[in-house]
Structure formats: structure tokens, C-alpha cells
Amino acid sequence: MSANTIPNGNSSGPTTQKPSNKLNANSSSNPSIHDASNLSDVRAALAALHVRETSITNRLNALLSSQADLSRELGRLDLLRANLGSQVIATRSISNGMLSSAADTAGRLSSRVKDLDLEKDRVQQTLKVVEQVAELKACVHGVVGSMGAPQDWEAAAGYISRASKVPEPIIRGAFAASMVPSVEVPDAPWVTLENAKESLCGLFLREFEKAAKEGDGAKVTRFFKLFPLIGRGDVGLDVYGRYVCQGVAGTARATLRAEPGNAGRKDGFFYANALTKLFEHIAQIVENHGGLVERHYGEGKMVKVIERLQMEADVQGGIILDSWSDERGVDRKLTDAKSYPFSFLVQSFLPPQRTLTGTPRMNSPAVGGSNNARNSEDEGVDMKEVDGLLSEISVMLGRWSLYSRFLAGKCKNPDTPEDAPLSIPEVVTKSNLNRKISAKLTSPYNSLAMFFFRRSVEKAFQLDESPTGLSLSLNKPIDANAPYIISAVDDIMYIVSAIIQKAISTSQRDVAASVIPDVGRVLGSDFIGMIQRRMRDESYPQPAVQGGLPPENKIISFIVLINSLDVAKDYLARIITAQLGTSPDQPNGTTHPNPLATSFPFEHDVTFVTSALNALNTTFSLKTSELISDALKVLFTFVVKQRLKPVLVEAFRDVDYWRTEDELAEIARQNDEDEDEVIDRVQRRFEHGWDQLMKPIARLMTPKTFTALIDLTATDLSKTLEKRVWSYSGKTSAYGIIRMERDFSGIISTVSRGNYSVREMFARVTQILMVADMEDEEWEEISSADGEDGIQWVLNEDERRRARHLVKATI
């Protein structure tokens, strides 16, 4: 026993720890003899070793017992392998003895079948060659025979057409060279056929030209159909092109000579009609003869005729345009238009000046009656002539667009989908007439349209008249019809509609790309600029005396100019929506197709023009809205706000919110007044003053501008009322808060009459009075709800707490 206690006796001495055996899978779970520190550990390790030894012994015994079974299975496998080997040997012997002969027989049969197929194919090819040579011989003799005494040109052309189906190697082969020639036709077949083609081509040309001179349409068609049969389709198309071009040229010259002298040429649409007839004649030829050409010459061959016709159209159309330009003096009118000074517009934008007599310039240079306007009008260009010229050019450009669209449809690739957008064919884009139309029509139109519109704007302001009989007094009736605007608005917007409509009728993207932005620039600079200048220099509602009110005529004139801007914006929006085919009354417009698609069928032209129109509308709307907003602020500052102050003073005169209900009833009895009348006094006074102030303005302004003015007024009034509410803090009774809420609600109802959304601008005032009038229990309930009470607060927490102290503390 003493020996067992020795390891524990030297616990202070150094001990050496043995590393664990990593190769032993159970080393981490079973105790190791190397880690034993006492007798119990040694015994535990020994027991573990015994268990492990028993396990290994059992596994070895199991392996030894299964070895006999494995030996038996291996023996069986050896027997099976021997049997399979004998079966394989027997199978091979059967295959070699019984099937080899059958395989040899099948191979021989397959080879003979291949040989027979080859011989059959060769026989068929030989027969085909023989048939082709026989067909060639029949065609050669038929051509020669038909060209002889019978002179049957259709038959001869038919034989040549049949011969052309024989392959060229057969025609020029040795077999054909030996078999086809005969005593009557000794030459080689290809020589005979080529000579016949040349002879017939020359004959057909002579007969075609003879029939064309005689005007024999049936004979022309007869020989025209024979050219592709003899392989001379290009010659036929060329001579046919010359033939139809002669007709086009003759018709064009006859049209220009239709009117004796200059009587017809002075007609505003003489040259436009001439150009229209030219295009219609070409379109009729293409439409009526296209089927014949496609049927006899092949699909797509009409394009060559169209190219030849376009060359003639370049010549004849160029003559018409040159004659028109010279007759109308277009270059001179362009020079006059570009040099026009626009004196009235220029002088109108100059700063106000005083004349020698000290009188300020008003509406110059139109002052002095109609003489100045007449002189200004006579400074250069006759507007009637320019308008007629624009109309004539628009007609010609529209006809050119229709003609281009027609040719685009005829030159369209047959494989192109039906819904694919048209593209302008090269026969049009690269033509001389296209370049001449751009130089002689498009460019002058753009320049003259710009001049015409700006000159129309200038003239509209020269002849401008303001509505008469307007007054701010409700006792004076107004005879004029609303809206009350200057006459220039109607005149200018009529011209805008006409200019845009005429530009779109040309169906030319280049015209729309120039005219529509030019209209926007003139409206923005001249129209809006002129009204802005009048607002600033002539109608600004500034009081003549400090603290006074502006003159009535200034206020009315200023309101009329605001109305003019608003109505002009609506007019232009209607013009644009009419062109686009959309309705502003329906969400996202209507579902009708864009009417511009019929005027602009080529690729992305519709999108471009639509964007240009929308840009015009948007830009003008933004500019007018900005100026209207500034003008309304001026009107509110100098007119409404100045008059609203005494209205509020009068409304709250002698109002005492510190009195109790009993005290107020006593005062009413002392003054022999009804208590309800005393309570409603503020609302009645304010409503009376408000109507006296706003009704005269409302009957002069448009609904939109008056609504905007009400919004400005309500915004400022809400701030004023809020200040007044805070001024009563600690000075009012509980009953006074009730009266105050009633009075202020009456004022808000009066201001928002007809426009309920105005109430939102008084949300702060309403909530202040609501909080001040709450019972303590209700307030505590709302305060403890932590935002879950459903009230959208516009007051912060401090302001709500301050509102609770409006009522003076009771002792």
C-alpha cells in the first residue's frame, strides 16, 4: 500500500507529460496507461485494453469464418467463366459457318444496285441532253422560220425565250453544234440565236418608236412586251422610259402654255396646279403600267422606270419652280422680308422717353391715329402677297410630300412588313428636284413664315384695342363679353393656328422643324415681351400717393393684361391639342390615333413634330404662367392687400373676447340689440367688406387667375389671422374662444366660398382655435394618444401647448 502512495508524495517535483497517441482512434475517449497517475487510472486503462483486445479478436474470427464462403464463390465464378468461354467459341463457329456467305451475297447485290443506279442516272442525263438539244433545234428552226415569210414576231420571240431556258453549256456544246445545224440553218445554234436577238431587238425598237410617234398605244404595248422574251429587258425598259417621259414632258409643257399670256400665271395657284398635274401624271403612269412591267419584266423592274420618270420630273419640275420663282419675285420678297425693320416692335421695347412737349410716349409709334400704322405697313412687304405666296408654297410642298409617299410605297421592298414605317427612297432623296424644292420652296417658306408671323404680331399690337366699359363699381353694368382681353390676343392666336396648320399641311419635317420653334420664339419675345412691357410701363397699379390706392383705370388695364396672358395660354393649348388629336378633358388624352401620322408617314417624323408642338406649348405655358404669377403678386400687393387691411380693422372693431357670455348678453340688452347679431357682427362685417373688395375684381378676371389671386390672398390672410389669434393670448375668456373660433370660421368660409381647397391654407389658425377650445379631458386624451388620434397636426408641440394658454387664467 505504501508503494501506491509514492507518486502522490513528490507532487512538488517536476513531472513529464507523455504525448497522446494520435494514431489511436480511441485515445481521446479511453484512458491511456501513459497518462495514469494512480492505481485506479492504471486499472481503468488495463480494462480498456482488454475490451479493445476482445473486439479485435472477434473481428478477426469473423473474417476467418467468412473466408471459406469467399473461396466457394470464387470457385463458382471460375466454372461460369469456363462455360461462357466455350459458348463464345461455339457462337463464333456458327457465325463463320452460316452467315459469311449471306454477307458476301448482300455485298454483291448492293454493288450491282449502285451500278444500276449510276447507269440509270447517266441514261436520264443523256436523255435530258438529247431533249434539250432537240428543244434547241426546234427553237432555232422556229426562230428562223418565224422571221421569214410569216414575220410572226411574237412566235420568234417566244422561240428565243424557250431557247434561253436551255443551259448555256448545252447550247455551246459539241453535241449541239453537230446536231442542230442544217441546210437551212448552217450556223452554230448560239450564233443563230444571237443574230436573231440582235435583228429582232433592232426591229422591235423601230416598230416601238414608230408606234410611239403615231400614238398607237396597242402597238406600243405589243412590242414592249416582246423585249424581255429576247433577253433585252434593259433595252425595253429604257425605250419605254423615254416613251413615257416624252408624254410627261409634253403634258407639262402643255400645262404651262394652257393660259394665253400672263392671265393664268397671275392666278395664285397656277404653278401649284402645274406641279400637281406633273406629279399626278407620273403617278398615273406608275400605277397603271406598273402591273404590265412587273408581269412581263419581273418583280421590282418598275423601279427602273420610276428612276427614268424621276429624271424627267427633275427637268419639268425644275422648269415650273424656276418660272414660278421669277414670276412671283420670290428673291425680292425674301430680301424685303429679311430687311424689314419691325419699327413698332423695336420702339415699343425701348425705355419710356419724354417728347419735347414733356408728354410720355404711350403706345408709340401708333400714336396719332391710323397714319403711323399705315406708314409702318407700307415700309416694305405687302402682307397679302406674302400670305398668298405661303399658301401657294404650302400646296406645292404638300403635293411633293404626297408624290414622295407614293413613290416610297412603290419602291418599298416586298419583304418589308406592312406595319413598318416608310422610308424615303433614294430616287427621291438624290433627285435634283428634291434639292431644288429645298432651295426654292422650303427655305423661302421658312423665312417668309417667320416674317409673316412676326409682322402679324406687330400689326396686331398696332391695331390693338382694350375692352371698353369696364369698371370696378358693381353699380355699373358691363356690356362687353367675358373674358376681357386685348384684341391682339384673338388676332395673334388666329395667326398662330393658321401658321401651324399651314406648316403641318406641307407634310415636310424641315418646315415643321423651322416654323414651330420660330412661332415659339416670337410668342416668347414679342407677344409676352410686349404685354410685360405694357404691364411695367403703362398699366402698373402703383398708387399715385404714398399709402393710397392705384387709379381705377390702371387696375382695370392691368387685370385685362393678366387675362390676356391666361387666355392666350389656353388658346395655344387648344391649338396644339387639336393638332395632336388629344383632349385635355380626358386623362392621358384620347385613344384616337395621332392625326399627324397621315401627314408625316416617314419613319420618326411624327414623333419629331409631336415633340416640337409639345415643346412649343410647354415653353409658352411656363413663360406666361411665370409672368401671370408675378403680375398677380403685384395686383395683390398694391390692390387687394391695401384694401384688405381696413376690411379687417372694420370687422374686428369693438370686439372684446375677454367678456363672458352673461356680460355680452347684458351689453346687448343695454344697447337694445339682438344677442345673435352681436355674436355674428365680425363675420357680417368681414363678408360685406370682402364682397365689396373682391366681387368687382372677380367679374373682370378669368376664373383661373382669380382663383390664383384668392390663393395669394388666403395665404397672406391666414398669417394675419394667426398673428391676431396669438395677440389675444391670455386676454380672452373661455366664451371668448368660442366666439373667436366662430368668427374666424366665418371669415374662412367667406374667403373659401366656391373653392373649398382654400381652407387648407388656414389649417394653422383652425388648429390653434380648436386646441384652445378643447375641454381638459379631451385635450389630455389627445395628448396621451401619441400621434394615434388621427389628427394631421400642422402645429408643433410647443405651439399646441401655447394654444392651450390662450384663455386667461381664472382666479
Side-chain angles (χ1 to χ4, degrees):
M1 293 296 291
S2 61
N4 294 335
T5 61
I6 291 176
N8 291 332
N10 296 327
S11 59
S12 61
T15 60
T16 303
Q17 185 176 359
K18 298 294 184 177
S20 62
N21 186 7
K22 297 296 182 180
L23 298 178
N24 187 0
N26 297 326
S27 60
S28 60
S29 60
N30 297 327
S32 174
I33 192 65
H34 300 289
D35 298 332
S37 59
N38 51 39
L39 183 59
S40 60
D41 292 339
V42 172
R43 290 176 178 175
L46 182 60
L49 290 175
H50 283 304
V51 172
R52 185 179 178 193
E53 179 185 10
T54 303
S55 176
I56 294 173
T57 301
N58 292 335
R59 290 172 62 188
L60 289 174
N61 291 333
L63 289 174
L64 289 174
S65 62
S66 64
Q67 185 175 5
D69 295 335
L70 291 173
S71 299
R72 284 195 301 272
E73 295 297 330
L74 288 175
R76 291 177 62 188
L77 289 175
D78 289 339
L79 289 174
L80 290 174
R81 183 178 64 179
N83 291 333
L84 287 174
S86 62
Q87 294 294 332
V88 169
I89 294 172
T91 302
R92 287 177 180 174
S93 62
I94 293 173
S95 175
N96 293 332
M98 299 177 63
L99 301 179
S100 59
S101 60
D104 293 340
T105 303
R108 289 194 302 272
L109 290 174
S110 177
S111 178
R112 291 301 302 273
V113 170
K114 290 181 180 179
D115 293 339
L116 289 174
D117 289 341
L118 179 61
E119 291 178 5
K120 181 181 179 181
D121 184 61
R122 288 174 178 174
V123 169
Q124 289 178 347
Q125 292 181 1
T126 303
L127 289 175
K128 186 176 181 179
V129 171
V130 172
E131 292 174 355
Q132 290 174 341
V133 171
E135 174 70 7
L136 178 63
K137 185 173 183 178
C139 290
V140 169
H141 286 77
V143 169
V144 174
S146 300
M147 293 177 63
Q151 293 187 350
D152 189 349
W153 311 126
E154 283 80 1
Y159 282 123
I160 292 178
S161 177
R162 287 169 54 188
S164 65
K165 298 177 181 178
V166 178
E168 189 68 18
I170 301 297
I171 297 177
R172 294 183 177 274
F175 182 68
S178 61
M179 297 301 297
V180 174
S182 62
V183 177
E184 293 84 4
V185 187
D187 296 328
W190 65 86
V191 175
T192 303
L193 291 175
E194 194 61 33
N195 292 336
K197 289 179 182 179
E198 292 296 331
S199 177
L200 288 175
C201 183
L203 174 66
F204 293 166
L205 279 174
R206 291 191 299 272
E207 292 296 330
F208 185 93
E209 292 174 353
K210 179 181 177 182
K213 290 181 181 179
E214 294 174 355
D216 190 347
K219 202 171 183 181
V220 166
T221 303
R222 174 195 173 190
F223 286 100
F224 174 65
K225 295 189 294 184
L226 298 178
F227 283 103
L229 297 178
I230 63 175
R232 296 295 187 269
D234 293 340
V235 177
L237 291 175
D238 182 67
V239 68
Y240 176 74
R242 291 201 304 270
Y243 164 68
V244 294
C245 287
Q246 288 175 1
V248 170
T251 303
R253 287 193 292 268
T255 300
L256 291 178
R257 294 196 304 265
E259 297 291 341
N262 293 329
R265 296 175 183 268
K266 292 182 180 180
D267 177 18
F269 293 95
F270 173 77
Y271 291 99
N273 294 332
L275 195 64
T276 301
K277 291 180 181 179
L278 172 66
F279 293 152
E280 288 179 348
H281 190 190
I282 295 175
Q284 288 175 357
I285 292 174
V286 174
E287 185 68 25
N288 297 334
H289 298 189
L292 178 68
V293 174
E294 299 284 342
R295 184 166 61 252
H296 293 283
Y297 284 78
E299 189 175 7
K301 295 298 183 181
M302 191 61 192
V303 176
K304 293 186 177 181
V305 179
I306 292 175
E307 292 174 353
R308 187 68 182 82
L309 285 169
Q310 184 57 45
M311 294 174 62
E312 187 63 32
D314 294 344
V315 176
Q316 301 303 325
I319 293 173
I320 293 174
L321 292 181
D322 290 336
S323 302
W324 167 80
S325 181
D326 295 339
E327 182 74 24
R328 301 290 188 256
V330 177
D331 293 337
R332 177 181 56 81
K333 287 184 173 62
L334 282 174
T335 303
D336 294 342
K338 291 178 180 179
S339 61
Y340 188 80
F342 295 101
S343 303
F344 178 82
L345 290 178
V346 173
Q347 295 180 20
S348 296
F349 285 101
L350 295 177
Q353 299 177 358
R354 292 184 176 273
T355 62
L356 295 177
T357 59
T359 304
R361 174 178 61 85
M362 297 292 290
N363 293 331
S364 63
V367 175
S370 61
N371 292 333
N372 289 340
R374 184 70 251 178
N375 293 336
S376 176
E377 183 180 351
D378 293 339
E379 284 180 2
V381 185
D382 187 348
M383 293 293 288
K384 291 184 178 179
E385 291 184 2
V386 174
D387 187 27
L389 202 60
L390 288 174
S391 299
E392 192 172 12
I393 295 176
S394 67
V395 171
M396 289 192 282
L397 287 176
R399 299 298 184 269
W400 168 250
S401 177
L402 290 174
Y403 173 74
S404 301
R405 186 189 313 180
F406 173 79
L407 293 187
K410 292 299 179 181
C411 297
K412 187 177 180 180
N413 191 330
D415 298 332
T416 305
E418 290 293 332
D419 56 348
L422 288 176
S423 59
I424 305 178
E426 291 186 356
V427 68
V428 174
T429 57
K430 295 183 178 180
S431 64
N432 293 329
L433 184 57
N434 184 52
R435 289 189 287 271
K436 180 156 286 190
I437 281 180
S438 178
K440 294 283 187 179
L441 297 181
T442 304
S443 296
Y445 185 90
N446 294 338
S447 300
L448 290 175
M450 172 68 173
F451 162 78
F452 180 80
F453 180 57
R454 195 176 185 205
R455 178 67 186 95
S456 299
V457 172
E458 181 183 54
K459 191 172 182 179
F461 278 112
Q462 283 179 290
L463 304 177
D464 181 39
E465 294 180 356
S466 296
T468 58
L470 302 183
S471 174
L472 290 176
S473 175
L474 294 176
N475 297 325
K476 295 182 180 180
I478 298 177
D479 296 331
N481 296 323
Y484 308 113
I485 58 175
I486 58 176
S487 62
V489 172
D490 289 328
D491 298 338
I492 292 172
M493 288 302 149
Y494 174 80
I495 298 297
V496 168
S497 179
I499 286 287
I500 293 178
Q501 179 61 41
K502 194 172 291 185
I504 291 176
S505 69
T506 65
S507 299
Q508 297 293 313
R509 173 173 175 163
D510 294 339
V511 172
S514 175
V515 172
I516 294 175
D518 286 345
V519 169
R521 282 191 289 271
V522 173
L523 287 176
S525 61
D526 295 335
F527 176 74
I528 296 179
M530 181 69 76
I531 293 181
Q532 184 178 18
R533 199 273 306 168
R534 288 187 176 182
M535 284 181 169
R536 184 187 65 241
D537 299 339
E538 300 176 11
S539 305
Y540 197 77
Q542 190 171 4
V545 181
Q546 185 68 26
L549 295 175
E552 181 179 353
N553 63 327
K554 294 280 187 179
I555 299 174
I556 294 175
S557 178
F558 198 75
I559 291 175
V560 167
L561 293 176
I562 294 175
N563 293 344
S564 300
L565 288 173
D566 183 55
V567 171
K569 181 175 68 172
D570 288 343
Y571 278 175
L572 184 64
R574 283 190 224 163
I575 292 170
I576 300 301
T577 53
Q579 295 297 334
L580 297 179
T582 57
S583 175
D585 299 331
Q586 299 183 12
N588 300 325
T590 61
T591 58
H592 298 295
N594 192 339
L596 294 178
T598 58
S599 299
F600 298 92
F602 294 113
E603 294 179 310
H604 304 294
D605 288 358
V606 176
T607 304
F608 175 83
V609 176
T610 301
S611 299
L613 290 172
N614 287 328
L616 168 62
N617 188 25
T618 302
T619 303
F620 184 75
S621 178
L622 288 175
K623 290 182 178 179
T624 52
S625 297
E626 182 179 359
L627 185 55
I628 289 173
S629 178
D630 294 340
L632 289 175
K633 291 178 182 178
V634 171
L635 185 64
F636 167 73
T637 302
F638 291 105
V639 179
V640 177
K641 190 173 183 179
Q642 295 298 326
R643 297 186 180 184
L644 188 59
K645 290 180 180 178
V647 171
L648 289 174
V649 172
E650 173 63 21
F652 289 98
R653 179 172 53 85
D654 299 333
V655 174
D656 42 8
Y657 292 116
W658 55 269
R659 296 184 182 277
T660 63
E661 184 177 5
D662 294 336
E663 292 175 342
L664 191 65
E666 180 63 26
I667 292 175
R669 283 194 298 271
Q670 292 177 0
N671 295 331
D672 196 18
E673 293 179 339
D674 185 61
E675 185 177 353
D676 292 336
E677 292 181 0
V678 175
I679 294 175
D680 295 337
R681 184 179 299 164
V682 173
Q683 181 179 352
R684 287 187 287 102
R685 289 175 180 174
F686 180 82
E687 184 176 5
H688 175 74
W690 175 264
D691 290 341
Q692 292 295 320
L693 170 61
M694 301 306 293
K695 279 189 176 181
I697 298 176
R699 72 171 185 166
L700 295 183
M701 299 185 73
T702 61
K704 289 182 181 178
T705 56
F706 183 71
T707 299
L709 180 63
I710 289 293
D711 291 342
L712 285 175
T713 305
T715 302
D716 184 80
L717 182 59
S718 66
K719 297 176 182 178
T720 303
L721 293 180
E722 183 179 351
K723 291 179 181 178
R724 181 174 288 274
V725 170
W726 292 126
S727 68
Y728 291 121
S729 180
K731 302 176 184 178
T732 181
S733 63
Y735 181 67
I737 287 294
I738 297 175
R739 290 175 54 209
M740 190 185 304
E741 184 176 13
R742 182 173 179 176
D743 292 343
F744 281 50
S745 296
I747 293 174
I748 295 172
S749 298
T750 301
V751 175
S752 61
R753 189 169 49 204
N755 186 5
Y756 192 81
S757 61
V758 175
R759 288 180 172 271
E760 298 178 1
M761 302 176 186
F762 296 93
R764 290 181 57 83
V765 177
T766 304
Q767 288 191 3
I768 291 172
L769 294 175
M770 178 187 70
V771 171
D773 193 32
M774 281 183 180
E775 298 292 338
D776 293 339
E777 295 81 3
E778 184 181 3
W779 171 246
E780 291 175 0
E781 181 181 353
I782 291 178
S783 299
S784 61
D786 295 332
E788 299 178 358
D789 50 15
I791 299 178
Q792 299 292 330
W793 291 106
V794 294
L795 301 176
N796 57 38
E797 187 175 353
D798 292 337
E799 289 172 335
R800 295 199 295 270
R801 190 180 301 112
R802 182 183 174 189
R804 289 295 298 170
H805 295 86
L806 279 178
V807 181
K808 64 181 179 179
T810 58
I811 301 176

